[in-house]
């Protein structure tokens, strides 16, 4: 024979008819803000390189970095965050930002190459500011349901603007992620700490 399956294709007499499912696939163009811990502890060792270098490699190395590979399919922006002694040091948090755009690898790579770690870790306040930046971006009419995302790259030792030492900013960081979520912004963590 022809190797096919033979038999009667008619339904069983007592069988219920199958339901109809309609699937409407929509393309997405996510906007991802990479929020990068620029605090002094990012100089610590992480598998033979500094935590800072590990983040830079994961994001913008050639050819394997996430931004390197996906820059034409994802609207990427990046922001470094730190403070200089919290509120007592002046502006807090200190953000150095590359606005989100398609094909943004060169500017994000330059941001990471031209800056170095130093200072404190106001993670919660920084998440709040980046969430507001994302929330204020207009929706792209061609991709109306595309997600907005924060990728937090940190060694996980947050403080606050009010109390830069010790690093007891975990509750504020969790609250900021929850607040971002209520705005429809998911947060994912790229950990380079213990």
């Amino acid at each position: 024979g022809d190797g096919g399956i033979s038999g009667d294709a008619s339904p069983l007499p007592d069988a219920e008819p199958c339901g109809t499912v309609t699937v409407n696939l929509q393309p997405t163009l996510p906007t991802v803000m990479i929020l990068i811990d620029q605090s002094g502890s990012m100089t610590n060792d992480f598998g033979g390189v500094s935590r800072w270098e590990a983040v830079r490699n994961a994001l913008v190395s050639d050819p394997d970095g996430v931004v390197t590979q996906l820059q034409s399919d994802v609207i990427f922006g990046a922001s470094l965050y730190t403070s200089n002694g919290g509120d007592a040091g002046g502006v807090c948090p200190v953000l150095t930002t590359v606005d989100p755009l398609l094909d943004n690898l060169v500017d994000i790579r330059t941001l990471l190459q031209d800056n170095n770690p130093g200072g404190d870790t106001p993670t919660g306040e920084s998440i709040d500011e980046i969430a507001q930046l994302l929330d204020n971006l207009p929706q792209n009419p061609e991709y109306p349901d595309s997600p907005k995302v924060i990728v937090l790259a940190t060694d996980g030792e947050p403080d606050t603007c009010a109390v830069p030492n010790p690093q007891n900013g975990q509750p504020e960081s969790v609250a900021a992620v929850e607040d971002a979520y209520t705005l429809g912004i998911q947060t994912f963590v790229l950990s380079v700490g213990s």
Side-chain angles (χ1 to χ4, degrees):
D2 62 5
I5 298 173
S6 63
D8 186 357
S10 62
L12 298 172
D14 295 331
E16 293 289 322
C18 293
T20 301
V21 176
T22 303
V23 177
N24 185 12
L25 300 176
Q26 295 290 328
T28 63
L29 185 63
T31 300
V32 176
M33 278 300 293
I34 306 166
L35 181 58
I36 303 164
D37 181 348
Q38 192 185 2
S39 67
S41 61
M42 292 292 283
T43 61
N44 293 348
D45 181 74
F46 190 75
V49 298
S50 72
R51 294 171 178 181
W52 183 258
E53 290 172 282
V55 168
R56 186 173 59 210
N57 292 341
L59 296 175
V60 298
S61 67
D62 190 18
D64 298 324
V66 173
V67 177
T68 306
Q69 294 181 45
L70 299 176
Q71 69 166 331
S72 296
D73 299 314
V74 174
I75 298 171
F76 279 114
S79 188
L80 311 179
Y81 75 96
T82 190
S83 79
N84 299 308
D87 289 331
V91 174
C92 186
V94 176
L95 298 175
T96 308
T97 301
V98 170
D99 289 331
L101 295 169
L102 275 177
D103 299 314
N104 213 5
L105 173 64
V106 171
D107 287 346
I108 294 172
R109 183 179 283 152
T110 300
L111 176 75
L112 287 163
Q113 289 173 341
D114 288 356
N115 292 280
N116 293 302
D120 298 300
T121 319
T123 303
E125 292 95 337
S126 300
I127 293 170
D128 285 338
E129 288 205 21
I130 294 303
Q132 285 304 309
L133 181 151
L134 284 170
D135 190 48
N136 290 334
L137 290 176
Q139 280 288 355
N140 185 327
E142 294 181 42
Y143 305 96
D145 296 322
S146 293
K148 294 178 180 179
V149 174
I150 296 171
V151 172
L152 173 64
T154 182
D155 59 12
E157 300 167 358
D159 54 43
T160 66
C161 289
V163 182
N165 284 301
Q167 285 73 37
N168 292 328
Q170 291 84 353
E172 290 82 359
S173 299
V174 170
V177 169
E178 291 172 343
D179 291 345
Y181 188 78
T182 64
L183 296 173
I185 301 165
Q186 289 187 299
T187 303
F188 298 92
V189 178
L190 173 61
S191 174
V192 288
S194 57

